[in-house]
Amino acid sequence: LNLQVFEDDEWTIFAIENWNEKKYVEIKGEVRYPGIYSIAEGEKLSSVLIRAGGFTNHAFVEGSVFTREEVRELQAKRLEESLDRLKTRAMQANTSANEAGEKTEDKKNMLSAVTQLEKEASSTKPIGRISLNLYYDLNRFTNSTYDLTLKDKDVLYVPAMNDTISVVG
């Protein structure tokens, strides 16, 4: 503004609510324009997918992975709680085994199994995956129950179609 300011002028400046609280989601993989997108409050996944240009011809939509930071944190907390319960039960079982006069070898095997489970569980890092069904037809997806309201730091990865077959057994 090119306004002159005089001696007795009064200016009132109002704050714009949440002006610096930008929220972003990341769309990766087989969409026309992958990248990081700014989102508005209450924006749905379908609107960001439309901005990202939709899916490419190579997209394996059924294999898409949607992750949310808040869910990852909750999963990590639940895993930690489960590990604590497992440790507590192992200690209780060990104590009752001592009272029942179980063999030392049996107690060692049980503690070894619990320790191994604990190592495996602690090396597992939750990713915060949310299950959803995407459709190639974004108009159909827009009207579905899977069209989630986005939150800051959500990530959608759409893998490419894989034309190999894995046989085990």
Side-chain angles (χ1 to χ4, degrees):
L1 297 173
N2 196 9
L3 299 174
Q4 266 191 321
V5 179
F6 297 102
E7 186 176 326
D8 292 326
D9 283 352
E10 287 185 28
W11 289 62
T12 303
I13 301 172
F14 296 98
I16 299 173
E17 189 176 339
N18 301 327
W19 73 273
N20 64 345
E21 293 181 17
K22 294 260 187 209
K23 295 179 181 173
Y24 297 94
V25 296
E26 186 172 5
I27 309 294
K28 301 195 260 184
E30 294 298 320
V31 292
R32 293 208 194 293
Y33 309 110
I36 297 173
Y37 289 85
S38 174
I39 57 168
E41 190 69 34
E43 189 167 2
K44 299 281 191 168
L45 178 57
S46 60
S47 71
V48 176
L49 284 171
I50 290 168
R51 285 195 280 155
F55 304 109
T56 67
N57 293 334
H58 306 292
F60 178 49
V61 174
E62 295 83 3
S64 296
V65 177
F66 183 85
T67 59
R68 180 168 282 169
E69 183 65 23
E70 160 182 298
V71 173
R72 186 198 63 76
E73 290 170 3
L74 182 63
Q75 289 172 341
K77 183 179 175 184
R78 295 293 183 251
L79 182 62
E80 191 176 311
E81 288 170 357
S82 295
L83 281 174
D84 288 343
R85 281 195 305 272
L86 180 63
K87 288 178 194 175
T88 301
R89 287 187 181 149
M91 296 297 184
Q92 289 170 346
N94 191 28
T95 302
S96 63
N98 283 338
E99 292 169 0
E102 258 186 48
K103 296 179 185 173
T104 307
E105 189 64 34
D106 292 339
K107 289 187 282 187
K108 284 182 183 176
N109 289 340
M110 183 185 65
L111 286 174
S112 174
V114 168
T115 304
Q116 183 61 30
L117 274 173
E118 186 181 342
K119 282 181 187 175
E120 288 177 21
S122 60
S123 68
T124 302
K125 300 293 180 210
I127 63 168
R129 184 175 187 159
I130 295 176
S131 178
L132 64 104
N133 289 338
L134 283 176
Y135 307 115
Y136 282 102
D137 179 6
L138 290 178
N139 291 326
R140 180 179 171 208
F141 179 68
T142 300
N143 298 320
S144 76
T145 57
Y146 296 103
D147 192 9
L148 301 174
T149 301
L150 295 170
K151 294 190 177 185
D152 192 29
K153 299 177 188 161
D154 284 351
V155 177
L156 176 67
Y157 170 67
V158 182
M161 191 68 75
N162 189 350
D163 59 357
T164 60
I165 298 172
S166 206
V167 179
V168 179

